[in-house]
Short mmCIF file of all heavy atoms in Angstrom, two decimals:
data_model
loop_
_atom_site.label_atom_id
_atom_site.label_comp_id
_atom_site.label_asym_id
_atom_site.label_seq_id
_atom_site.Cartn_x
_atom_site.Cartn_y
_atom_site.Cartn_z
N GLY N 446 -50.78 -37.48 41.95
CA GLY N 446 -51.70 -36.80 41.05
C GLY N 446 -51.11 -35.55 40.42
O GLY N 446 -51.85 -34.73 39.91
N GLN N 447 -49.82 -35.44 40.40
CA GLN N 447 -49.14 -34.32 39.75
C GLN N 447 -48.46 -34.74 38.44
O GLN N 447 -47.95 -35.85 38.31
CB GLN N 447 -48.08 -33.73 40.65
CG GLN N 447 -47.52 -32.38 40.14
CD GLN N 447 -46.56 -31.75 41.11
OE1 GLN N 447 -45.35 -31.59 40.82
NE2 GLN N 447 -47.02 -31.47 42.28
N TYR N 448 -48.56 -33.85 37.46
CA TYR N 448 -48.04 -34.11 36.10
C TYR N 448 -47.22 -32.91 35.69
O TYR N 448 -47.48 -31.76 36.11
CB TYR N 448 -49.08 -34.43 35.10
CG TYR N 448 -49.96 -35.57 35.51
CD1 TYR N 448 -51.00 -35.44 36.37
CD2 TYR N 448 -49.71 -36.85 35.03
CE1 TYR N 448 -51.82 -36.55 36.79
CE2 TYR N 448 -50.45 -38.02 35.37
CZ TYR N 448 -51.50 -37.85 36.28
OH TYR N 448 -52.21 -38.90 36.70
N PHE N 449 -46.27 -33.09 34.77
CA PHE N 449 -45.45 -31.99 34.26
C PHE N 449 -45.40 -31.98 32.72
O PHE N 449 -45.56 -33.06 32.09
CB PHE N 449 -44.02 -32.01 34.79
CG PHE N 449 -43.18 -33.07 34.13
CD1 PHE N 449 -42.39 -32.78 33.05
CD2 PHE N 449 -43.21 -34.40 34.64
CE1 PHE N 449 -41.57 -33.75 32.43
CE2 PHE N 449 -42.41 -35.38 34.05
CZ PHE N 449 -41.64 -35.06 32.94
N VAL N 450 -45.34 -30.78 32.18
CA VAL N 450 -45.19 -30.58 30.75
C VAL N 450 -44.10 -29.50 30.50
O VAL N 450 -44.15 -28.49 31.18
CB VAL N 450 -46.53 -30.18 30.07
CG1 VAL N 450 -46.31 -30.03 28.56
CG2 VAL N 450 -47.59 -31.17 30.37
N VAL N 451 -43.18 -29.76 29.64
CA VAL N 451 -42.16 -28.74 29.27
C VAL N 451 -42.25 -28.41 27.77
O VAL N 451 -42.29 -29.33 26.93
CB VAL N 451 -40.77 -29.28 29.58
CG1 VAL N 451 -39.67 -28.19 29.23
CG2 VAL N 451 -40.65 -29.70 31.03
N THR N 452 -42.37 -27.15 27.47
CA THR N 452 -42.45 -26.71 26.04
C THR N 452 -41.42 -25.65 25.79
O THR N 452 -40.99 -24.96 26.70
CB THR N 452 -43.87 -26.16 25.73
OG1 THR N 452 -44.08 -24.93 26.48
CG2 THR N 452 -44.95 -27.18 26.08
N PRO N 453 -41.05 -25.50 24.51
CA PRO N 453 -40.12 -24.37 24.19
C PRO N 453 -40.84 -23.07 24.27
O PRO N 453 -42.03 -22.92 24.03
CB PRO N 453 -39.73 -24.69 22.69
CG PRO N 453 -40.85 -25.48 22.19
CD PRO N 453 -41.33 -26.28 23.32
N ALA N 454 -40.15 -22.05 24.82
CA ALA N 454 -40.73 -20.72 24.98
C ALA N 454 -40.45 -19.85 23.73
O ALA N 454 -39.34 -19.60 23.36
CB ALA N 454 -40.15 -20.04 26.19
N ALA N 455 -41.53 -19.43 23.05
CA ALA N 455 -41.42 -18.57 21.91
C ALA N 455 -41.12 -17.17 22.37
O ALA N 455 -41.75 -16.67 23.31
CB ALA N 455 -42.65 -18.63 21.04
N PRO N 456 -40.20 -16.42 21.73
CA PRO N 456 -39.88 -15.05 22.12
C PRO N 456 -41.09 -14.14 22.12
O PRO N 456 -41.87 -14.18 21.16
CB PRO N 456 -38.81 -14.64 21.08
CG PRO N 456 -38.24 -15.88 20.58
CD PRO N 456 -39.36 -16.89 20.61
N GLY N 457 -41.25 -13.35 23.15
CA GLY N 457 -42.36 -12.32 23.22
C GLY N 457 -43.67 -12.93 23.36
O GLY N 457 -44.73 -12.25 23.13
#
Side-chain angles (χ1 to χ4, degrees):
Q447 189 177 118
Y448 302 82
F449 74 92
V450 181
V451 181
T452 66

